[in-house]
């Protein structure tokens, strides 16, 4: 089957009594229940006038029914478009105006403030709350679904038809809508389930948001095609994580999950001995975190690399060495090369350049941005990721940072990651971010933003770096902050830092 809905639910429905999700409140849904609930929601969507290819935008809190809404939209032939729950009404207005969904689903109570922007974009507004986590009907859409039939004939779609539009995280600028097809999502899910050995015996502890590719596709799709099950937590909460860890076999996280677990004494070898797999992605996992986690638990976190536009591109091996500080090898079916960012010419292994990828996982293009789409693809179909990286002699890929974060100072390239690693190695430093800021002589100058364990002085950092890295790479200024600005996915927001410290050398 090529239809994403059938592909996702097929293996689980082979034994429909098998559990698909359970919640902290003790609610549980089998694959059979899930299929029936998706039918109810799909009927409700059709009742609201949904036609094949129509977008269903949803800014809803994480819940069982929010997952069902995703499945139902696909099943009804629609295009699912989840939106970050942190977006304000003005931001929602932008996204709805851009995506022109048939339907906009928001949290009950939020419809008052969001109706105006939704109506302006031509969308019908319905609500969906989190009551389903406790088995309640919650919201106008949930009510419509509750009264709808449990029979639904899945609307036919081609593998190349859109299943979702996912907006990128907006780390480097305005979020772009990535158009993902049925085949993009299904092929990646099947491949990941196989590569990471997910089976029907797996229980994933799911603490990620579901408006992002990590929690929605990497986690949910992968577990579904394996016929496994998930413990769905509303958000990452240490108490809840440690309470449910004993029932799980695996967890997918962003690096901040792991640093926060490491700060908790409940993280022990005993507490994790039964776990089969911990994975990390969405932001760089410090090699130090990888080592500390292994030291404490004996578990080697598996780091992988992906993006909204491409699903997953690389992964450390399941068997074999999971090399800290790298994102592993290109996944089966994914071609990956490193090129000179300007010429596009391929670079030899060991040199830093632009990461380009090609494969069934790579998206169809940016929604309503044909020029942008054209400029991000090479003539031979490779997608220019915007990430800089290198391949070592053993084939492991490392990410050095984003092309947009590269600093050019006095004509020299400085890769922030190299400087950050040097700063992080200094005694008393918790973490750091290195940015380029405008400088009258050098064009850009290197600035270090540092989180220190105790009081530290600028001169401490500068003298520690002296002789360790070339003078032109050393920060012209070092500033100290309480913590680095991060978004929900744990990504450091360097644009926020550039805004804050941009004038420091002007
Ligand atoms: P925008 O494209 O809007 O600026 P974004 O790139 O942060 O935002 P996402 O698609 O959520 O939006 O994130 C993909 C990016 O996350 C990758 O391009 C890469 O920079 C980063 N990333 C993902 N996994 C890893 C990883 N394991 N190590 C380092 N970086 C990673
Ligand atoms: Mg991006």
């Amino acid at each position: 089957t090529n239809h994403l809905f059938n592909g996702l639910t097929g293996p689980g429905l082979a034994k429909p009594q098998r559990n698909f999700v359970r919640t902290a409140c003790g609610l549980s849904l089998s694959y059979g229940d899930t299929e029936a609930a998706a039918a109810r929601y799909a009927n409700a969507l059709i009742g609201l006038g949904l036609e094949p290819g129509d977008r269903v935008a949803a800014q809803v809190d994480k819940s069982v029914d929010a997952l069902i809404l995703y499945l139902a939209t696909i099943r009804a032939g629609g295009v699912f478009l989840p939106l970050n729950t942190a977006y304000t009404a003005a931001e929602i207005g932008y996204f709805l105006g851009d995506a022109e969904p048939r339907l906009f689903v928001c949290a009950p109570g939020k419809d008052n403030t969001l109706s105006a922007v939704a109506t302006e974009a031509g969308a019908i507004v319905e609500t969906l709350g989190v009551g389903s986590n406790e088995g309640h009907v919650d919201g106008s859409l949930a009510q419509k679904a509750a009264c709808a039939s449990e029979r639904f004939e899945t609307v036919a779609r081609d593998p190349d038809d859109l299943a979702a539009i996912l907006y990128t995280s907006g780390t480097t600028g305005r979020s772009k809508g990535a158009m993902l097809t049925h085949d993009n999502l299904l092929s990646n899910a099947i491949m990941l389930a196989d590569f990471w050995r997910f089976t029907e015996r797996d229980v994933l502890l799911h603490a990620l948001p579901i408006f992002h590719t990590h929690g929605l596709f990497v986690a949910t799709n992968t577990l579904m095609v394996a016929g496994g099950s998930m413990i769905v937590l509303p958000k990452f909460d240490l108490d809840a994580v440690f309470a449910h860890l004993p029932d799980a076999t695996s967890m997918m996280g962003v690096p901040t999950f792991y640093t926060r677990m490491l700060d908790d004494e409940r993280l022990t070898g005993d507490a994790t001995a039964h776990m089969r797999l911990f994975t990390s992605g969405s932001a760089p996992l410090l090699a130090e975190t990888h080592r500390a986690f292994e030291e404490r638990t004996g578990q080697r976190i598996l780091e992988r690399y992906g993006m909204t536009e491409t699903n997953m591109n690389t992964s450390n091996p399941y068997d074999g060495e999971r090399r800290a500080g790298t994102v592993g090898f290109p996944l089966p079916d994914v071609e990956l090369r490193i090129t000179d960012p300007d010429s596009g010419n391929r670079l030899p292994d060991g040199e830093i350049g632009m990461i380009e990828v090609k494969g069934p996982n790579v998206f169809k293009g940016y929604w309503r941005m044909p020029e942008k789409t054209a400029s991000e693809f090479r003539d031979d179909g490779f997608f220019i990721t915007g990430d800089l990286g290198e391949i070592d002699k053993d084939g492991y890929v490392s990410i050095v940072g984003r092309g947009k974060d590269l600093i050019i100072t006095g004509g020299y390239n400085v890769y922030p990651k190299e400087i950050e690693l040097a700063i992080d190695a200094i005694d008393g430093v918790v973490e750091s971010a290195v940015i380029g800021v405008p400088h009258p002589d050098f064009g850009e100058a290197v600035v270090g933003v540092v989180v220190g364990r105790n009081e530290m002085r600028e001169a401490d950092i500068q003298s520690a770096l002296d002789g360790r890295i070339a003078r032109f790479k050393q920060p012209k200024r070092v500033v100290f902050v309480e913590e680095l600005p991060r978004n929900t996915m744990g990504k450091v927001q360097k644009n926020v830092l550039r805004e804050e410290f941009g004038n420091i050398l002007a």
Side-chain angles (χ1 to χ4, degrees):
T1 171
N2 295 320
H3 196 289
L4 180 59
F5 180 79
N6 295 337
L8 291 179
T9 54
L13 285 175
K15 288 188 204 152
Q17 327 75 307
R18 200 186 287 155
N19 180 258
F20 168 48
V21 288
R22 55 194 118 142
T23 69
C25 312
L27 179 106
S28 87
L29 244 69
S30 68
Y31 274 91
D33 297 336
T34 303
E35 195 268 345
R40 289 179 181 280
Y41 269 89
N43 278 315
L45 295 176
I46 298 291
L48 289 163
L50 189 84
E51 286 176 26
D54 279 352
R55 276 77 60 205
V56 172
Q59 187 193 34
V60 294
D61 293 313
K62 189 175 173 184
S63 73
V64 169
D65 274 16
L67 286 170
I68 301 290
L69 175 61
Y70 156 57
L71 297 170
T73 301
I74 306 297
R75 191 173 189 189
V79 177
F80 191 60
L81 196 157
L83 292 165
N84 193 318
T85 46
Y87 287 150
T88 63
E91 287 164 326
I92 293 295
Y94 163 76
F95 290 111
L96 298 187
D98 187 44
E100 295 188 311
R102 163 80 46 168
L103 173 67
F104 172 59
V105 187
C106 65
K110 271 203 175 175
D111 46 331
N112 290 333
T113 42
L114 294 173
S115 277
V117 287
T119 316
E120 194 172 324
I124 304 167
V125 182
E126 295 284 339
T127 62
L128 183 62
V130 295
S132 58
N133 291 338
E134 299 169 16
H136 305 146
V137 175
D138 185 0
S140 63
L141 186 63
Q143 246 143 29
K144 289 192 170 67
C147 303
S149 161
E150 271 185 20
R151 282 176 204 289
F152 187 84
E153 192 164 340
T154 301
V155 174
R157 299 257 77 196
D158 286 334
D160 201 33
D161 282 333
L162 296 194
I165 296 176
L166 223 61
Y167 282 88
T168 60
S169 296
T171 312
T172 59
R174 182 156 247 184
S175 300
K176 301 141 278 180
M179 299 191 286
L180 296 155
T181 67
H182 281 245
D183 187 54
N184 289 154
L185 298 176
L186 191 54
S187 64
N188 210 240
I190 291 171
M191 199 263 304
L192 290 176
D194 183 57
F195 200 81
W196 293 337
R197 314 272 170 89
F198 278 98
T199 72
E200 60 185 61
R201 289 180 302 282
D202 271 296
V203 181
L204 182 82
L205 189 53
H206 191 307
L208 293 159
I210 55 169
F211 51 72
H212 185 265
T213 186
H214 196 166
L216 189 63
F217 298 145
V218 189
T220 308
N221 287 358
T222 302
L223 263 289
M224 273 200 118
V225 296
S229 75
M230 311 197 292
I231 301 170
V232 174
L233 302 180
K235 62 178 174 51
F236 182 85
D237 169 89
L238 281 167
D239 289 340
V241 164
F242 285 111
H244 293 281
L245 204 53
D247 299 320
T249 63
S250 49
M251 190 178 97
M252 296 185 188
V254 295
T256 41
F257 285 15
Y258 296 114
T259 51
R260 289 173 60 190
M261 287 171 83
L262 275 164
D263 281 341
D264 194 300
E265 59 190 17
R266 286 171 289 185
L267 182 74
T268 61
D270 282 348
T272 55
H274 65 287
M275 290 290 280
R276 183 178 73 75
L277 182 65
F278 288 95
T279 70
S280 178
S282 291
L285 182 76
L286 292 179
E288 186 195 311
T289 309
H290 192 276
R291 281 186 211 111
F293 203 86
E294 183 179 17
E295 228 159 75
R296 181 93 68 85
T297 66
Q299 299 271 352
R300 291 183 65 77
I301 299 171
L302 181 154
E303 184 172 10
R304 91 296 178 286
Y305 157 63
M307 53 198 299
T308 307
E309 294 93 329
T310 63
N311 299 284
M312 296 305 101
N313 291 314
T314 74
S315 171
N316 269 282
Y318 188 80
D319 296 320
E321 188 196 345
R322 299 179 190 166
R323 197 170 282 184
T326 81
V327 293
F329 307 107
L331 285 159
D333 296 343
V334 178
E335 289 177 76
L336 183 148
R337 67 188 184 196
I338 308 284
T339 62
D340 178 306
D342 299 322
S343 67
N345 292 333
R346 199 171 181 147
L347 293 174
D349 286 356
E351 282 188 34
I352 295 173
M354 179 60 66
I355 300 176
E356 299 185 6
V357 294
K358 185 177 176 179
N361 55 314
V362 177
F363 74 141
K364 214 172 168 174
Y366 292 111
W367 172 256
R368 290 187 178 163
M369 294 174 110
E371 294 88 18
K372 172 91 181 152
T373 301
S375 69
E376 305 301 306
F377 279 91
R378 302 281 182 204
D379 292 342
D380 59 357
F382 274 81
F383 172 61
I384 306 165
T385 62
D387 291 315
L388 298 173
E390 63 187 310
I391 304 178
D392 74 13
K393 61 177 186 349
D394 301 323
Y396 285 85
V397 177
S398 301
I399 297 181
V400 174
R402 305 208 184 223
K404 287 191 174 171
D405 292 335
L406 175 73
I407 303 166
I408 304 178
T409 179
Y412 293 107
N413 283 358
V414 176
Y415 299 100
K417 176 95 176 258
E418 185 192 351
I419 322 305
E420 288 159 4
L421 289 175
I423 295 177
D424 292 350
I426 299 170
D427 232 16
V429 171
V430 177
E431 58 176 355
S432 64
V434 165
I435 54 171
V437 306
H439 185 283
D441 294 336
F442 300 110
E444 274 187 303
V446 178
V447 167
V449 183
V450 176
V451 180
R453 203 155 280 126
N454 306 306
E455 275 296 295
M456 292 188 86
R457 290 169 314 139
E458 184 166 8
D460 297 337
I461 304 289
Q462 275 161 335
S463 62
L465 293 178
D466 232 356
R468 304 237 336 252
I469 52 174
R471 174 82 3 124
F472 74 90
K473 297 179 184 173
Q474 292 176 19
K476 295 263 174 311
R477 286 295 310 272
V478 175
V479 292
F480 294 92
V481 294
E482 284 289 311
E483 56 180 8
L484 297 176
R486 284 198 156 83
N487 69 12
T488 23
M489 300 309 293
K491 296 169 191 280
V492 175
Q493 295 168 300
K494 290 198 170 177
N495 52 346
V496 172
L497 294 175
R498 280 190 288 259
E499 216 154 275
E500 190 171 346
F501 300 110
N503 289 327
I504 198 168
L505 288 162

